[in-house]
Coordinates of all heavy atoms in Angstrom, one line a residue:
N317 N 63.2 151.6 127.5 CA 62.3 152.8 127.2 C 60.8 152.4 127.3 O 60.2 152.2 126.3 CB 62.7 153.4 125.9 CG 62.1 154.8 125.7 OD1 61.1 155.1 126.3 ND2 62.6 155.5 124.7
A318 N 60.3 152.4 128.5 CA 58.9 152.0 128.7 C 57.9 152.9 128.1 O 56.9 152.5 127.5 CB 58.6 151.9 130.2
D319 N 58.2 154.3 128.1 CA 57.3 155.2 127.5 C 57.2 155.0 126.0 O 56.0 155.0 125.4 CB 57.8 156.6 127.7 CG 57.7 157.1 129.2 OD1 56.7 156.7 129.8 OD2 58.5 157.8 129.7
A320 N 58.3 154.8 125.3 CA 58.2 154.5 123.8 C 57.5 153.2 123.5 O 56.8 153.1 122.5 CB 59.6 154.5 123.2
A321 N 57.8 152.2 124.4 CA 57.1 150.9 124.2 C 55.6 151.0 124.3 O 54.9 150.5 123.5 CB 57.7 150.0 125.2
L322 N 55.2 151.8 125.4 CA 53.7 152.0 125.6 C 53.1 152.7 124.4 O 52.1 152.3 123.9 CB 53.5 152.8 126.9 CG 53.3 152.0 128.2 CD1 53.2 153.0 129.3 CD2 52.0 151.1 128.1
E323 N 53.7 153.7 124.0 CA 53.2 154.5 122.8 C 53.0 153.7 121.6 O 51.9 153.7 121.0 CB 54.2 155.7 122.5 CG 53.6 156.6 121.4 CD 54.5 157.7 121.0 OE1 55.6 157.9 121.7 OE2 54.3 158.4 120.0
A324 N 54.1 152.9 121.2 CA 54.0 152.1 120.0 C 53.0 150.9 120.2 O 52.1 150.7 119.3 CB 55.3 151.5 119.7
L325 N 53.0 150.2 121.3 CA 52.1 149.1 121.4 C 50.7 149.4 121.7 O 49.8 148.7 121.2 CB 52.7 148.2 122.6 CG 54.0 147.5 122.3 CD1 54.6 146.9 123.5 CD2 53.8 146.4 121.2
Q326 N 50.4 150.5 122.4 CA 49.0 150.9 122.6 C 48.4 151.3 121.2 O 47.3 151.0 120.9 CB 48.9 152.1 123.6 CG 49.1 151.6 125.0 CD 49.0 152.8 126.0 OE1 49.5 153.8 125.7 NE2 48.4 152.5 127.1
K327 N 49.2 152.0 120.4 CA 48.7 152.4 119.1 C 48.5 151.2 118.2 O 47.5 151.1 117.5 CB 49.8 153.3 118.4 CG 49.3 154.0 117.1 CD 50.3 155.0 116.6 CE 49.9 155.6 115.3 NZ 50.9 156.6 114.7
F328 N 49.3 150.2 118.3 CA 49.2 148.9 117.5 C 48.0 148.1 117.9 O 47.2 147.7 117.1 CB 50.5 148.2 117.5 CG 50.5 146.9 116.7 CD1 50.5 147.0 115.3 CD2 50.6 145.7 117.2 CE1 50.4 145.9 114.5 CE2 50.5 144.5 116.5 CZ 50.4 144.6 115.1
T329 N 47.9 147.9 119.2 CA 46.8 147.0 119.7 C 45.5 147.6 119.7 O 44.5 146.9 119.7 CB 47.2 146.5 121.1 OG1 47.4 147.5 121.9 CG2 48.4 145.6 121.1
S330 N 45.4 148.9 119.6 CA 44.1 149.6 119.7 C 43.4 149.6 118.3 O 42.2 149.9 118.2 CB 44.3 151.0 120.1 OG 45.0 151.8 119.2
N331 N 44.1 149.2 117.2 CA 43.5 149.1 115.9 C 43.0 147.8 115.6 O 43.8 146.8 115.5 CB 44.6 149.6 114.9 CG 44.0 149.7 113.4 OD1 42.9 149.1 113.2 ND2 44.6 150.4 112.6
P332 N 41.7 147.6 115.5 CA 41.1 146.2 115.4 C 41.5 145.6 114.0 O 41.3 144.3 113.9 CB 39.5 146.5 115.5 CG 39.4 147.9 115.2 CD 40.6 148.6 115.6
T333 N 41.9 146.3 113.1 CA 42.3 145.7 111.8 C 43.7 145.1 111.8 O 44.0 144.3 110.9 CB 42.2 146.7 110.7 OG1 43.2 147.8 110.9 CG2 40.9 147.4 110.6
N334 N 44.5 145.4 112.8 CA 45.8 144.8 112.9 C 45.7 143.3 113.4 O 44.9 143.0 114.3 CB 46.7 145.6 113.8 CG 47.0 146.9 113.3 OD1 47.0 147.1 112.1 ND2 47.4 147.9 114.2
K335 N 46.6 142.5 112.9 CA 46.6 141.1 113.4 C 47.4 141.1 114.7 O 48.7 141.0 114.7 CB 47.3 140.2 112.4 CG 46.3 139.9 111.2 CD 46.9 138.8 110.2 CE 45.9 138.5 109.2 NZ 46.5 137.4 108.3
I336 N 46.8 141.1 115.8 CA 47.4 141.0 117.1 C 47.8 139.6 117.5 O 47.0 138.7 117.3 CB 46.5 141.7 118.2 CG1 45.9 143.0 117.7 CG2 47.2 141.9 119.5 CD1 46.9 144.1 117.4
I337 N 49.0 139.4 118.0 CA 49.4 138.2 118.5 C 49.5 138.2 120.0 O 49.7 139.3 120.6 CB 50.7 137.7 117.9 CG1 51.9 138.7 118.1 CG2 50.5 137.5 116.4 CD1 53.2 138.2 117.6
P338 N 49.5 137.1 120.8 CA 49.6 137.1 122.2 C 50.8 137.9 122.7 O 50.7 138.6 123.7 CB 49.7 135.6 122.6 CG 49.1 134.9 121.5 CD 49.3 135.7 120.2
R339 N 52.0 137.8 122.1 CA 53.2 138.5 122.5 C 53.0 140.0 122.6 O 53.6 140.7 123.4 CB 54.4 138.1 121.7 CG 55.7 138.6 122.2 CD 56.9 138.1 121.3 NE 56.9 136.7 121.2 CZ 57.7 135.9 122.0 NH1 58.3 136.5 123.0 NH2 57.7 134.7 121.9
D340 N 52.1 140.5 121.7 CA 51.9 142.0 121.7 C 51.3 142.4 123.1 O 51.7 143.4 123.6 CB 50.9 142.4 120.6 CG 51.5 142.1 119.2 OD1 52.7 142.1 119.1 OD2 50.7 141.8 118.3
Y341 N 50.3 141.6 123.5 CA 49.7 142.0 124.8 C 50.6 141.7 126.0 O 50.7 142.4 127.0 CB 48.4 141.1 125.0 CG 47.2 141.6 124.2 CD1 46.6 140.8 123.2 CD2 46.8 142.9 124.4 CE1 45.5 141.3 122.5 CE2 45.7 143.4 123.6 CZ 45.1 142.6 122.7 OH 44.1 143.1 121.9
L342 N 51.5 140.7 125.9 CA 52.5 140.4 126.9 C 53.4 141.6 127.1 O 53.7 142.1 128.2 CB 53.3 139.2 126.6 CG 52.8 137.8 126.9 CD1 53.7 136.7 126.5 CD2 52.4 137.7 128.4
Y343 N 53.9 142.1 125.9 CA 54.8 143.2 126.0 C 54.1 144.5 126.5 O 54.7 145.3 127.2 CB 55.5 143.5 124.7 CG 56.8 142.8 124.5 CD1 56.9 141.6 123.8 CD2 58.0 143.3 125.1 CE1 58.2 141.0 123.6 CE2 59.2 142.7 125.0 CZ 59.3 141.5 124.3 OH 60.5 140.9 124.1
L344 N 52.9 144.7 126.1 CA 52.1 145.9 126.5 C 51.9 145.8 128.0 O 52.1 146.8 128.7 CB 50.8 145.9 125.8 CG 49.9 147.1 126.1 CD1 50.5 148.4 125.8 CD2 48.5 147.0 125.3
G345 N 51.6 144.6 128.5 CA 51.4 144.5 130.0 C 52.7 144.8 130.7 O 52.7 145.5 131.7
Q346 N 53.8 144.2 130.2 CA 55.1 144.4 130.9 C 55.5 145.9 130.8 O 56.1 146.4 131.8 CB 56.2 143.6 130.2 CG 56.0 142.1 130.4 CD 57.1 141.3 129.6 OE1 58.1 141.0 130.2 NE2 56.8 140.9 128.4

Side-chain angles (χ1 to χ4, degrees):
N317 191 341
D319 288 326
L322 267 176
E323 182 184 353
L325 291 169
Q326 283 179 324
K327 189 174 180 181
F328 182 64
T329 56
S330 63
N331 188 337
T333 63
N334 292 335
K335 285 189 176 180
I336 312 300
I337 60 174
R339 192 180 294 273
D340 298 332
Y341 285 120
L342 278 181
Y343 267 103
L344 180 58
Q346 290 179 90

